[in-house]
Amino acid sequence: MSENLTLDGLAVALRALRLLAVDFGRLPSPDVHVSPVFPDRLELSFHRGLPDFEVWREALGISPDTVVYREQSGGRTRVLKASVDFAGAAMELTGYSDVCVPEPVGGAA
């Protein structure tokens, strides 16, 4: 990583973001992250459940078989991760959702 990275150094990720806005502007809005630490990476995250993640995964042609599932926060949050190269950028999609815990039935509390 160069300590003197300029905005131009983020051009690959920003170009990919611009193309996403043009080609997929009808899709749900993600949180977007671009960083000089990884200047060729574009991260899209979805915190309102997994349907938005799935819409983007399908639109980008990412196979469901490549999606990684894990849990965090002591098993209270599901996390889906997928990666794809898009317009020269390494793009990462991350979706978050609460894990549904069934309520106790009957007299158990």
Side-chain angles (χ1 to χ4, degrees):
M1 175 182 84
S2 169
E3 292 189 29
N4 296 321
L5 187 69
T6 63
L7 187 60
D8 189 48
L10 300 174
V12 171
L14 294 174
R15 180 178 47 243
L17 180 59
R18 183 181 70 189
L19 290 172
L20 288 174
V22 170
D23 294 343
F24 302 103
R26 71 190 184 291
L27 296 184
S29 177
D31 289 344
V32 176
H33 183 77
V34 176
S35 170
V37 176
F38 301 104
D40 294 339
R41 181 185 301 169
L42 175 61
E43 299 174 19
L44 306 180
S45 57
F46 305 89
H47 297 270
R48 296 178 304 271
L50 301 178
D52 291 351
F53 171 91
E54 284 298 320
V55 166
W56 275 91
R57 182 195 59 73
E58 288 180 14
L60 293 168
I62 300 172
S63 170
D65 297 336
T66 65
V67 174
V68 175
Y69 173 85
R70 63 183 175 87
E71 294 179 358
Q72 65 184 37
S73 301
R76 295 186 318 248
T77 303
R78 291 178 216 205
V79 181
L80 296 182
K81 284 194 167 277
S83 300
V84 67
D85 289 333
F86 182 81
M91 189 161 50
E92 293 184 358
L93 291 122
T94 306
Y96 300 93
S97 175
D98 292 336
V99 172
C100 297
V101 177
E103 293 292 322
V105 178

